[in-house]
Amino acid sequence: MQDDDMTNTGGGAKPPAGATNNPLIAKLESLAKLSAEDKDVLQRISANPQVIEPGTALIREGDKPDGVYLILDGIACRYKLRASGARQIMAYLVPGDYCDLDVALLKAMDHAIGTLSTCHVVRIDLLTIQGLLERHPGITHALRLATLVDEATLREWLVNIGRRSADERIAHLLCELLLRLRAVGRTAGQGQSYALPVTQDDLADTTGLAAVHVNRVLINLQRRGLIAFSGQEVTISDLAGLEAFAEFKPNYLHLGGRDAA
C-alpha cells in the first residue's frame, strides 16, 4: 500500500440481502422505530442525488446555510481551516448521515462541510425539513436521536485526540467506522470489511498526526494482525483485539436504541 493509496470513488459495499437500500432509513431505524409512512417520506426526500467529486466544499465557513446535505454514498466531513491552510477534520459523514439539522437557526456556518471521496448527495431545503419536524413525530424522534449520537461521537473524538496514542487513535476510528457502516449495510466479508475512501492525509487531519506517522501506524496495526488491506478495502481481522487495543466501547453510538424505543 502506498502512502496515499487509500482513495476510493465508491461509498462501500452493497447492503446485504433484505436490508433497505436507503442508508438514511437504515441509520434511523438503527436508532428508533419508523412507520411505513415515515419510510415512504424519507425515501421521497432522498431521491435524485447529485454526484459530487472528491474535495468539493458543499458549504464553506461563513456561508449562509441554505439546506441540509444528506450523504447517500461516499464519505464527507466537517472541518475547519486555519489561515495557513491546515485542516482539522471534526466528523466523518458516511452514507445515511446528514449535516446540520437545525441549520436554519444559524446566520452563518462556523465550519465547512466537504467531500473526501466521490459522494452521492441530496440537498434538502429548509422548508422540507421544517415540514418533516412538524408533521412526522416518528421521524423527528429518530433525527433528534441521531443528533445526540453526533454529539456523543464528537466527545469521543476529543478523547481520541487528547488522551489516546497515535496507534490507539486510528484503531479506535477504524472500529467506529466498521460499526457505523455496518448499521447502514455498507460492509462486506461477513460484516468485517469496508471501503475506506479517504487518503492518509485525510486520516492525518482527522487524528492530528503527520501523514507519514499515519502510514507507520497502519503498517504496525497490520503487523499485529488486527487489520488487513486488500486493494482499497480494509478488513478488521481481529475485531475483539482491535477494540481491546483501542479501548473501544461502542455505547456512544447508541446502536441499540431501537430496542429501547
Side-chain angles (χ1 to χ4, degrees), residues 154-191:
L154 179 58
R155 290 191 290 271
E156 198 67 31
W157 279 37
L158 286 172
V159 175
N160 225 24
I161 292 286
R163 290 298 181 214
R164 292 190 177 104
S165 69
D167 288 37
E168 291 167 342
R169 292 177 200 180
I170 292 179
H172 195 280
L173 179 63
L174 294 176
C175 289
E176 177 188 299
L177 288 174
L178 177 70
L179 295 192
R180 289 174 63 187
L181 290 167
R182 184 187 286 170
V184 295
R186 291 300 197 271
T187 57
Q190 298 181 331

Side-chain angles (χ1 to χ4, degrees), residues 213-224:
H213 198 170
V214 169
N215 186 57
R216 289 198 297 267
V217 168
L218 292 173
I219 291 172
N220 186 39
L221 293 176
Q222 290 180 87
R223 286 174 176 168
R224 288 171 175 259

Side-chain angles (χ1 to χ4, degrees), residues 140-152:
T140 299
H141 176 62
L143 291 173
R144 295 303 187 197
L145 286 174
T147 298
L148 291 174
V149 171
D150 288 346
E151 294 171 356

